[in-house]
mmCIF file with all atom_site columns, all heavy atoms in Angstrom:
data_model
loop_
_atom_site.group_PDB
_atom_site.id
_atom_site.type_symbol
_atom_site.label_atom_id
_atom_site.label_alt_id
_atom_site.label_comp_id
_atom_site.label_asym_id
_atom_site.label_entity_id
_atom_site.label_seq_id
_atom_site.pdbx_PDB_ins_code
_atom_site.Cartn_x
_atom_site.Cartn_y
_atom_site.Cartn_z
_atom_site.occupancy
_atom_site.B_iso_or_equiv
_atom_site.pdbx_formal_charge
_atom_site.auth_seq_id
_atom_site.auth_comp_id
_atom_site.auth_asym_id
_atom_site.auth_atom_id
_atom_site.pdbx_PDB_model_num
ATOM 1   N N   . GLY D 1 67 ? 103.951 9.122  125.858 1.00 97.00 ? 97  GLY D N   1
ATOM 2   C CA  . GLY D 1 67 ? 102.939 9.991  125.174 1.00 97.00 ? 97  GLY D CA  1
ATOM 3   C C   . GLY D 1 67 ? 101.611 9.308  124.885 1.00 97.00 ? 97  GLY D C   1
ATOM 4   O O   . GLY D 1 67 ? 100.531 9.832  125.136 1.00 97.00 ? 97  GLY D O   1
ATOM 5   N N   . ASP D 1 68 ? 101.707 7.997  124.426 1.00 97.00 ? 98  ASP D N   1
ATOM 6   C CA  . ASP D 1 68 ? 100.458 7.219  124.092 1.00 97.00 ? 98  ASP D CA  1
ATOM 7   C C   . ASP D 1 68 ? 99.734  6.936  125.409 1.00 97.00 ? 98  ASP D C   1
ATOM 8   O O   . ASP D 1 68 ? 98.441  7.078  125.435 1.00 97.00 ? 98  ASP D O   1
ATOM 9   C CB  . ASP D 1 68 ? 100.856 5.891  123.445 1.00 97.00 ? 98  ASP D CB  1
ATOM 10  C CG  . ASP D 1 68 ? 101.315 6.103  121.974 1.00 97.00 ? 98  ASP D CG  1
ATOM 11  O OD1 . ASP D 1 68 ? 101.234 7.221  121.523 1.00 97.00 ? 98  ASP D OD1 1
ATOM 12  O OD2 . ASP D 1 68 ? 101.781 5.136  121.418 1.00 97.00 ? 98  ASP D OD2 1
ATOM 13  N N   . ILE D 1 69 ? 100.428 6.583  126.457 1.00 97.00 ? 99  ILE D N   1
ATOM 14  C CA  . ILE D 1 69 ? 99.767  6.324  127.724 1.00 97.00 ? 99  ILE D CA  1
ATOM 15  C C   . ILE D 1 69 ? 99.029  7.574  128.241 1.00 97.00 ? 99  ILE D C   1
ATOM 16  O O   . ILE D 1 69 ? 97.839  7.544  128.644 1.00 97.00 ? 99  ILE D O   1
ATOM 17  C CB  . ILE D 1 69 ? 100.766 5.826  128.820 1.00 97.00 ? 99  ILE D CB  1
ATOM 18  C CG1 . ILE D 1 69 ? 101.241 4.417  128.387 1.00 97.00 ? 99  ILE D CG1 1
ATOM 19  C CG2 . ILE D 1 69 ? 100.138 5.723  130.200 1.00 97.00 ? 99  ILE D CG2 1
ATOM 20  C CD1 . ILE D 1 69 ? 102.434 3.852  129.273 1.00 97.00 ? 99  ILE D CD1 1
ATOM 21  N N   . ALA D 1 70 ? 99.738  8.671  128.197 1.00 97.00 ? 100 ALA D N   1
ATOM 22  C CA  . ALA D 1 70 ? 99.177  9.988  128.668 1.00 97.00 ? 100 ALA D CA  1
ATOM 23  C C   . ALA D 1 70 ? 97.898  10.302 127.827 1.00 97.00 ? 100 ALA D C   1
ATOM 24  O O   . ALA D 1 70 ? 96.867  10.757 128.393 1.00 97.00 ? 100 ALA D O   1
ATOM 25  C CB  . ALA D 1 70 ? 100.208 11.085 128.573 1.00 97.00 ? 100 ALA D CB  1
ATOM 26  N N   . ASP D 1 71 ? 97.959  10.150 126.512 1.00 96.00 ? 101 ASP D N   1
ATOM 27  C CA  . ASP D 1 71 ? 96.830  10.471 125.653 1.00 96.00 ? 101 ASP D CA  1
ATOM 28  C C   . ASP D 1 71 ? 95.628  9.557  125.985 1.00 96.00 ? 101 ASP D C   1
ATOM 29  O O   . ASP D 1 71 ? 94.487  9.992  126.008 1.00 96.00 ? 101 ASP D O   1
ATOM 30  C CB  . ASP D 1 71 ? 97.307  10.313 124.189 1.00 96.00 ? 101 ASP D CB  1
ATOM 31  C CG  . ASP D 1 71 ? 96.281  11.061 123.263 1.00 96.00 ? 101 ASP D CG  1
ATOM 32  O OD1 . ASP D 1 71 ? 95.620  12.021 123.734 1.00 96.00 ? 101 ASP D OD1 1
ATOM 33  O OD2 . ASP D 1 71 ? 96.193  10.630 122.062 1.00 96.00 ? 101 ASP D OD2 1
ATOM 34  N N   . ASP D 1 72 ? 95.902  8.268  126.232 1.00 94.00 ? 102 ASP D N   1
ATOM 35  C CA  . ASP D 1 72 ? 94.837  7.368  126.589 1.00 94.00 ? 102 ASP D CA  1
ATOM 36  C C   . ASP D 1 72 ? 94.119  7.761  127.856 1.00 94.00 ? 102 ASP D C   1
ATOM 37  O O   . ASP D 1 72 ? 92.899  7.796  127.977 1.00 94.00 ? 102 ASP D O   1
ATOM 38  C CB  . ASP D 1 72 ? 95.421  5.953  126.907 1.00 94.00 ? 102 ASP D CB  1
ATOM 39  C CG  . ASP D 1 72 ? 95.512  5.060  125.627 1.00 94.00 ? 102 ASP D CG  1
ATOM 40  O OD1 . ASP D 1 72 ? 95.065  5.587  124.568 1.00 94.00 ? 102 ASP D OD1 1
ATOM 41  O OD2 . ASP D 1 72 ? 96.052  3.948  125.687 1.00 94.00 ? 102 ASP D OD2 1
ATOM 42  N N   . CYS D 1 73 ? 94.964  8.190  128.862 1.00 94.00 ? 103 CYS D N   1
ATOM 43  C CA  . CYS D 1 73 ? 94.395  8.589  130.133 1.00 94.00 ? 103 CYS D CA  1
ATOM 44  C C   . CYS D 1 73 ? 93.593  9.923  130.014 1.00 94.00 ? 103 CYS D C   1
ATOM 45  O O   . CYS D 1 73 ? 92.535  10.030 130.613 1.00 94.00 ? 103 CYS D O   1
ATOM 46  C CB  . CYS D 1 73 ? 95.523  8.802  131.144 1.00 94.00 ? 103 CYS D CB  1
ATOM 47  S SG  . CYS D 1 73 ? 96.335  7.245  131.571 1.00 94.00 ? 103 CYS D SG  1
ATOM 48  N N   . ARG D 1 74 ? 94.069  10.774 129.134 1.00 95.00 ? 104 ARG D N   1
ATOM 49  C CA  . ARG D 1 74 ? 93.317  11.994 128.860 1.00 95.00 ? 104 ARG D CA  1
ATOM 50  C C   . ARG D 1 74 ? 91.907  11.695 128.313 1.00 95.00 ? 104 ARG D C   1
ATOM 51  O O   . ARG D 1 74 ? 90.958  12.227 128.687 1.00 95.00 ? 104 ARG D O   1
ATOM 52  C CB  . ARG D 1 74 ? 94.072  12.880 127.893 1.00 95.00 ? 104 ARG D CB  1
ATOM 53  C CG  . ARG D 1 74 ? 93.350  14.152 127.424 1.00 95.00 ? 104 ARG D CG  1
ATOM 54  C CD  . ARG D 1 74 ? 93.961  14.795 126.223 1.00 95.00 ? 104 ARG D CD  1
ATOM 55  N NE  . ARG D 1 74 ? 94.011  13.961 125.044 1.00 95.00 ? 104 ARG D NE  1
ATOM 56  C CZ  . ARG D 1 74 ? 92.996  13.771 124.208 1.00 95.00 ? 104 ARG D CZ  1
ATOM 57  N NH1 . ARG D 1 74 ? 91.806  14.402 124.419 1.00 95.00 ? 104 ARG D NH1 1
ATOM 58  N NH2 . ARG D 1 74 ? 93.083  13.000 123.162 1.00 95.00 ? 104 ARG D NH2 1
ATOM 59  N N   . ARG D 1 75 ? 91.914  10.789 127.366 1.00 93.00 ? 105 ARG D N   1
ATOM 60  C CA  . ARG D 1 75 ? 90.641  10.369 126.769 1.00 93.00 ? 105 ARG D CA  1
ATOM 61  C C   . ARG D 1 75 ? 89.650  9.768  127.725 1.00 93.00 ? 105 ARG D C   1
ATOM 62  O O   . ARG D 1 75 ? 88.512  10.031 127.774 1.00 93.00 ? 105 ARG D O   1
ATOM 63  C CB  . ARG D 1 75 ? 90.913  9.380  125.595 1.00 93.00 ? 105 ARG D CB  1
ATOM 64  C CG  . ARG D 1 75 ? 91.126  9.970  124.239 1.00 93.00 ? 105 ARG D CG  1
ATOM 65  C CD  . ARG D 1 75 ? 90.802  9.073  123.103 1.00 93.00 ? 105 ARG D CD  1
ATOM 66  N NE  . ARG D 1 75 ? 91.651  7.892  123.154 1.00 93.00 ? 105 ARG D NE  1
ATOM 67  C CZ  . ARG D 1 75 ? 92.869  7.773  122.591 1.00 93.00 ? 105 ARG D CZ  1
ATOM 68  N NH1 . ARG D 1 75 ? 93.371  8.797  121.930 1.00 93.00 ? 105 ARG D NH1 1
ATOM 69  N NH2 . ARG D 1 75 ? 93.577  6.679  122.653 1.00 93.00 ? 105 ARG D NH2 1
ATOM 70  N N   . MET D 1 76 ? 90.275  8.953  128.673 1.00 91.00 ? 106 MET D N   1
ATOM 71  C CA  . MET D 1 76 ? 89.419  8.292  129.689 1.00 91.00 ? 106 MET D CA  1
ATOM 72  C C   . MET D 1 76 ? 88.785  9.336  130.613 1.00 91.00 ? 106 MET D C   1
ATOM 73  O O   . MET D 1 76 ? 87.674  9.115  131.119 1.00 91.00 ? 106 MET D O   1
ATOM 74  C CB  . MET D 1 76 ? 90.248  7.297  130.527 1.00 91.00 ? 106 MET D CB  1
ATOM 75  C CG  . MET D 1 76 ? 90.597  5.989  129.797 1.00 91.00 ? 106 MET D CG  1
ATOM 76  S SD  . MET D 1 76 ? 91.825  5.039  130.654 1.00 91.00 ? 106 MET D SD  1
ATOM 77  C CE  . MET D 1 76 ? 90.942  4.448  132.055 1.00 91.00 ? 106 MET D CE  1
ATOM 78  N N   . LEU D 1 77 ? 89.465  10.398 130.872 1.00 92.00 ? 107 LEU D N   1
ATOM 79  C CA  . LEU D 1 77 ? 88.950  11.351 131.844 1.00 92.00 ? 107 LEU D CA  1
ATOM 80  C C   . LEU D 1 77 ? 88.288  12.597 131.223 1.00 92.00 ? 107 LEU D C   1
ATOM 81  O O   . LEU D 1 77 ? 87.884  13.582 131.885 1.00 92.00 ? 107 LEU D O   1
ATOM 82  C CB  . LEU D 1 77 ? 90.061  11.804 132.780 1.00 92.00 ? 107 LEU D CB  1
ATOM 83  C CG  . LEU D 1 77 ? 90.558  10.703 133.671 1.00 92.00 ? 107 LEU D CG  1
ATOM 84  C CD1 . LEU D 1 77 ? 91.742  11.161 134.560 1.00 92.00 ? 107 LEU D CD1 1
ATOM 85  C CD2 . LEU D 1 77 ? 89.467  10.180 134.637 1.00 92.00 ? 107 LEU D CD2 1
ATOM 86  N N   . GLU D 1 78 ? 88.223  12.604 129.903 1.00 93.00 ? 108 GLU D N   1
ATOM 87  C CA  . GLU D 1 78 ? 87.691  13.779 129.150 1.00 93.00 ? 108 GLU D CA  1
ATOM 88  C C   . GLU D 1 78 ? 86.246  14.064 129.556 1.00 93.00 ? 108 GLU D C   1
ATOM 89  O O   . GLU D 1 78 ? 85.838  15.211 129.670 1.00 93.00 ? 108 GLU D O   1
ATOM 90  C CB  . GLU D 1 78 ? 87.808  13.557 127.641 1.00 93.00 ? 108 GLU D CB  1
ATOM 91  C CG  . GLU D 1 78 ? 87.921  14.883 126.900 1.00 93.00 ? 108 GLU D CG  1
ATOM 92  C CD  . GLU D 1 78 ? 88.589  14.700 125.560 1.00 93.00 ? 108 GLU D CD  1
ATOM 93  O OE1 . GLU D 1 78 ? 88.516  13.551 124.969 1.00 93.00 ? 108 GLU D OE1 1
ATOM 94  O OE2 . GLU D 1 78 ? 89.209  15.678 125.104 1.00 93.00 ? 108 GLU D OE2 1
ATOM 95  N N   . ILE D 1 79 ? 85.428  13.024 129.703 1.00 89.00 ? 109 ILE D N   1
ATOM 96  C CA  . ILE D 1 79 ? 83.996  13.156 130.013 1.00 89.00 ? 109 ILE D CA  1
ATOM 97  C C   . ILE D 1 79 ? 83.856  13.819 131.414 1.00 89.00 ? 109 ILE D C   1
ATOM 98  O O   . ILE D 1 79 ? 83.070  14.715 131.583 1.00 89.00 ? 109 ILE D O   1
ATOM 99  C CB  . ILE D 1 79 ? 83.232  11.780 129.975 1.00 89.00 ? 109 ILE D CB  1
ATOM 100 C CG1 . ILE D 1 79 ? 83.213  11.349 128.512 1.00 89.00 ? 109 ILE D CG1 1
ATOM 101 C CG2 . ILE D 1 79 ? 81.782  11.952 130.464 1.00 89.00 ? 109 ILE D CG2 1
ATOM 102 C CD1 . ILE D 1 79 ? 82.784  9.946  128.301 1.00 89.00 ? 109 ILE D CD1 1
ATOM 103 N N   . ARG D 1 80 ? 84.717  13.379 132.326 1.00 90.00 ? 110 ARG D N   1
ATOM 104 C CA  . ARG D 1 80 ? 84.685  13.919 133.684 1.00 90.00 ? 110 ARG D CA  1
ATOM 105 C C   . ARG D 1 80 ? 85.020  15.423 133.619 1.00 90.00 ? 110 ARG D C   1
ATOM 106 O O   . ARG D 1 80 ? 84.416  16.224 134.375 1.00 90.00 ? 110 ARG D O   1
ATOM 107 C CB  . ARG D 1 80 ? 85.637  13.160 134.581 1.00 90.00 ? 110 ARG D CB  1
ATOM 108 C CG  . ARG D 1 80 ? 85.278  13.199 136.016 1.00 90.00 ? 110 ARG D CG  1
ATOM 109 C CD  . ARG D 1 80 ? 86.238  12.558 136.905 1.00 90.00 ? 110 ARG D CD  1
ATOM 110 N NE  . ARG D 1 80 ? 86.397  11.076 136.698 1.00 90.00 ? 110 ARG D NE  1
ATOM 111 C CZ  . ARG D 1 80 ? 87.229  10.284 137.327 1.00 90.00 ? 110 ARG D CZ  1
ATOM 112 N NH1 . ARG D 1 80 ? 88.032  10.826 138.279 1.00 90.00 ? 110 ARG D NH1 1
ATOM 113 N NH2 . ARG D 1 80 ? 87.291  9.022  137.103 1.00 90.00 ? 110 ARG D NH2 1
ATOM 114 N N   . ALA D 1 81 ? 86.030  15.764 132.839 1.00 94.00 ? 111 ALA D N   1
ATOM 115 C CA  . ALA D 1 81 ? 86.438  17.150 132.716 1.00 94.00 ? 111 ALA D CA  1
ATOM 116 C C   . ALA D 1 81 ? 85.324  18.003 132.115 1.00 94.00 ? 111 ALA D C   1
ATOM 117 O O   . ALA D 1 81 ? 84.996  19.092 132.546 1.00 94.00 ? 111 ALA D O   1
ATOM 118 C CB  . ALA D 1 81 ? 87.726  17.255 131.910 1.00 94.00 ? 111 ALA D CB  1
ATOM 119 N N   . ARG D 1 82 ? 84.694  17.435 131.018 1.00 94.00 ? 112 ARG D N   1
ATOM 120 C CA  . ARG D 1 82 ? 83.649  18.149 130.309 1.00 94.00 ? 112 ARG D CA  1
ATOM 121 C C   . ARG D 1 82 ? 82.480  18.391 131.229 1.00 94.00 ? 112 ARG D C   1
ATOM 122 O O   . ARG D 1 82 ? 81.844  19.458 131.126 1.00 94.00 ? 112 ARG D O   1
ATOM 123 C CB  . ARG D 1 82 ? 83.243  17.358 129.131 1.00 94.00 ? 112 ARG D CB  1
ATOM 124 C CG  . ARG D 1 82 ? 82.806  18.216 127.935 1.00 94.00 ? 112 ARG D CG  1
ATOM 125 C CD  . ARG D 1 82 ? 82.509  17.425 126.700 1.00 94.00 ? 112 ARG D CD  1
ATOM 126 N NE  . ARG D 1 82 ? 83.625  16.753 126.102 1.00 94.00 ? 112 ARG D NE  1
ATOM 127 C CZ  . ARG D 1 82 ? 83.618  15.559 125.534 1.00 94.00 ? 112 ARG D CZ  1
ATOM 128 N NH1 . ARG D 1 82 ? 82.444  14.879 125.516 1.00 94.00 ? 112 ARG D NH1 1
ATOM 129 N NH2 . ARG D 1 82 ? 84.678  15.037 125.003 1.00 94.00 ? 112 ARG D NH2 1
#
Side-chain angles (χ1 to χ4, degrees):
D98 288 353
I99 291 173
D101 198 25
D102 272 356
C103 294
R104 174 194 61 82
R105 272 202 299 272
M106 284 167 74
L107 293 176
E108 208 156 28
I109 293 168
R110 205 183 297 177
R112 213 176 293 142

